[in-house]
Amino acid sequence: QVQLVESGGGLVQAGGSLRLSCAASGRTFSSYVMGWFRQAPGKEREFVAAIRGSGGSTYYTDSVKGRFTISRDNAKNTVYLQMNSLKPEDTAVYYCAADKSPLLRIGVAGYDYWGQGTQVTVSS
């Protein structure tokens, strides 16, 4: 069992930056693919980024490429999402998730554990 706790959300103006963190419990953190998803009001939860256990491979949805960076520190059992050049359309609740599979998957159903989410609001 893995427990995930996100932090770092908040209110920021368009063009600003935020760094989200997700702290994981357990001793096998480095074996999990970690992902970030987001859900805006009235919309389905969507994939944002994912990173392999070693940190060597990452994958991003097109809308955040060049603006967001996913990283992890396995010694601290933490995954990060650095978000730059934020836009109002990035406003959503952001969730981190853990996948026992080694694949970089973008589907919600592929992930086994989820955090409670952190709100990110970008004002125009």
Side-chain angles (χ1 to χ4, degrees):
Q1 190 76 9
V2 175
Q3 292 185 326
L4 304 172
V5 179
E6 302 97 334
S7 61
L11 173 64
V12 63
Q13 289 188 332
S17 298
L18 282 174
R19 189 176 83 153
L20 305 183
S21 299
C22 174
S25 66
R27 293 177 290 180
T28 59
F29 176 73
S30 63
S31 67
Y32 291 92
V33 166
M34 298 299 296
W36 284 98
F37 290 75
R38 65 187 180 187
Q39 187 166 17
K43 295 188 176 181
E44 293 186 351
R45 192 169 299 188
E46 65 173 2
F47 171 81
V48 176
I51 186 168
R52 288 193 190 278
S54 66
S57 296
T58 58
Y59 186 72
Y60 299 89
T61 192
D62 286 346
S63 63
V64 308
K65 284 180 181 177
R67 300 189 298 124
F68 290 11
T69 302
I70 188 171
S71 62
R72 66 191 297 161
D73 185 338
N74 288 338
K76 295 183 178 179
N77 278 18
T78 302
V79 62
Y80 305 97
L81 186 68
Q82 177 68 43
M83 305 186 294
N84 299 328
S85 302
L86 281 161
K87 304 175 181 180
E89 51 264 43
D90 294 317
T91 295
V93 177
Y94 282 71
Y95 299 89
C96 73
D99 184 0
K100 292 184 288 187
S101 164
L103 302 175
L104 286 175
R105 298 195 281 197
I106 65 172
V108 170
Y111 286 76
D112 302 288
Y113 305 103
W114 292 85
Q116 82 291 347
T118 186
Q119 176 71 47
V120 171
T121 303
V122 184
S123 63
S124 57

